[in-house]
Amino acid sequence: MLNLNETPYQAKSAVLFVIFNRPDTTKRVFDQIRAAKPRRLYVAADAPRYDFPDDLLLCKQAREVVSTIDWECDLKTLFKEKNAGCKDGVSSAVTWFFSYEEEGIILEDDCLPANSFFKFCDTLLDKYRYDTRIRHITGCNLQQGKKWGNSTYYFSNMTHVWGWASWKRVWNDYDKNLNKYNNDEIKEQLRNIFEDPLVVESWEQIFEEVKAGKINAWGYQLDFVNFFNNGLTIIPNENLISNIGFGANATHTLDENSVYANVPIKEIEEITDPVFFLPEKQADLAVLNQEFNIAEKRRKKNSIRKKVKRWAKAAFKRAAAFMLLS
């Protein structure tokens, strides 16, 4: 966290803050936004769910947190009157944000930023504004201490959304229901990105479930659009975002013992750029191995393969013995 004797960095980019029913985490994230004092702040809040009685008070309390703005800024709010859910709620909020802004920073109520996250985003939004190779800037690093290269950041095919920044030019390609793509083509295209068949199978399954409306999430769509546009994501070599929302009250991040829960954040002072514009495939694979539990899937597949092989061998022996007897 920021040293109390230092003056916090003042954000230049517009910030979208997406909140719902967690006033405790909302306050912690909002305190970091307050320290950065963005000149333009957008707050989007989903409405309470009718079948969750506690939501009424919790949503009210979360909205009250962001009513305590004590710095000069242009504030816009989008407070929904009917619950939209995670998928529609967040994606519509980002669409609303980019209807006003050409670029900006997006934070959800469980994504606690380092103060230098704002400088990181400001600097790279400006640097890569017209570079269409770059589509996404994230603040979270899930490499568990592993550094990739000697620069402040590296490039990835993945689009982590725990605190991120992007441009309207990129969000214009967002396809909430993946209508542009069909299931028959996906496996072949994913093989152009990932070599491991189990990783390809995992992404293929997610794609099919997103298309079928079985996943109430908005972030996977951003991954697929990035994949299919051959886009690069900027990932810092130090973690600038901590997801503080893991637990029973979360929508997706339920396991509070996850290695990705409450990862400590660090501040960065200067930003140095990589020389090569290539994704770190092994960095992506490290995250996917964890997220998709690839080692366990490979163990099960190998176990099945061994069983089939043993069965075939035994069947061959039985057939040979039968032929000898006959």
Side-chain angles (χ1 to χ4, degrees):
M1 298 290 289
L2 187 72
N3 188 312
L4 294 178
N5 295 322
E6 296 177 4
T7 301
Y9 175 81
Q10 308 294 284
K12 297 180 177 63
S13 300
V15 173
L16 168 64
F17 189 29
V18 182
I19 67 174
F20 179 39
N21 68 348
R22 290 187 284 185
D24 52 345
T25 63
T26 298
K27 184 180 186 307
R28 291 180 63 187
V29 178
F30 186 68
D31 285 345
Q32 289 297 93
I33 295 173
R34 174 189 279 119
K37 294 181 171 59
R39 300 167 188 174
R40 300 184 308 287
L41 178 63
Y42 296 74
V43 180
D46 204 356
R49 297 163 293 185
Y50 75 90
D51 50 347
F52 286 77
D54 292 343
D55 272 5
L56 193 62
L57 177 60
L58 292 172
C59 289
K60 180 176 181 291
Q61 291 173 337
R63 295 182 185 192
E64 286 173 350
V65 168
V66 298
S67 70
T68 58
I69 293 173
D70 55 5
W71 73 95
E72 187 175 344
C73 75
D74 179 12
L75 173 67
K76 288 183 173 61
T77 59
L78 178 66
F79 290 172
K80 292 186 178 295
E81 297 181 356
K82 183 178 179 181
N83 183 264
C86 180
K87 179 180 178 180
D88 292 330
V90 178
S91 62
S92 64
V94 180
T95 298
W96 168 69
F97 177 60
F98 282 122
S99 71
Y100 291 97
E101 300 289 342
E102 292 297 317
E103 61 191 37
I105 297 168
I106 297 92
L107 285 164
E108 293 182 70
D109 58 6
D110 57 359
C111 299
L112 183 69
N115 180 251
S116 54
F117 165 75
F118 296 97
K119 181 178 180 180
F120 184 73
C121 292
D122 279 349
T123 303
L124 299 178
L125 281 170
D126 180 68
K127 180 178 179 65
Y128 295 111
R129 183 171 294 136
Y130 305 112
D131 191 333
T132 55
R133 292 174 296 182
I134 310 301
R135 298 177 60 86
H136 191 90
I137 301 163
T138 189
C140 70
N141 179 295
L142 305 179
Q143 295 298 312
Q144 302 178 60
K146 167 72 175 176
K147 300 287 195 302
W148 297 90
N150 299 318
S151 303
T152 307
Y153 59 94
Y154 65 91
F155 296 112
S156 165
N157 288 133
M158 305 283 291
T159 58
H160 305 310
V161 293
W162 294 347
W164 57 287
S166 191
W167 301 265
K168 182 177 182 177
R169 63 169 169 83
V170 173
W171 190 255
N172 284 341
D173 293 333
Y174 184 76
D175 187 357
K176 184 176 66 176
N177 298 311
L178 300 175
N179 292 324
K180 297 177 184 176
Y181 312 106
N182 63 68
N183 297 44
D184 296 335
E185 299 172 334
I186 291 308
K187 191 166 189 175
E188 181 181 350
Q189 299 307 320
L190 289 171
R191 284 172 176 164
N192 290 327
I193 305 166
F194 303 105
E195 294 181 359
D196 190 324
L198 291 176
V199 171
V200 171
E201 287 177 16
S202 298
W203 275 121
E204 187 180 19
Q205 180 180 352
I206 290 172
F207 177 87
E208 291 173 355
E209 291 181 357
V210 169
K211 285 277 284 185
K214 295 180 179 178
I215 296 179
N216 181 26
W218 66 275
Y220 286 129
Q221 296 88 324
L222 204 58
D223 274 311
F224 286 117
V225 172
N226 198 60
F227 295 159
F228 302 148
N229 284 277
N230 200 28
L232 293 174
T233 292
I234 290 171
I235 297 184
N237 260 319
E238 298 287 0
N239 185 49
L240 303 178
I241 295 284
S242 182
N243 190 313
I244 57 173
F246 277 78
N249 294 326
T251 303
H252 301 294
T253 53
L254 298 172
D255 181 9
E256 58 188 25
N257 296 314
S258 168
V259 295
Y260 299 143
N262 302 297
V263 177
I265 56 177
K266 295 186 178 180
E267 300 289 353
I268 56 174
E269 294 183 4
E270 61 175 316
I271 299 174
T272 56
D273 306 311
V275 175
F276 301 103
F277 278 75
L278 294 168
E280 292 285 359
K281 296 281 189 178
Q282 293 305 308
D284 288 352
L285 192 59
V287 174
L288 292 172
N289 281 342
Q290 178 76 30
E291 185 174 340
F292 294 158
N293 201 5
I294 295 299
E296 179 63 15
K297 288 181 179 178
R298 184 166 286 113
R299 186 192 68 77
K300 288 182 178 179
K301 183 162 281 194
N302 288 340
S303 176
I304 293 171
R305 188 180 292 116
K306 287 177 181 177
K307 287 179 181 178
V308 171
K309 192 173 180 180
R310 285 198 299 268
W311 176 86
K313 189 175 181 180
F316 177 78
K317 286 182 177 179
R318 286 194 298 270
F322 177 79
M323 289 179 68
L324 285 172
L325 290 173
S326 60

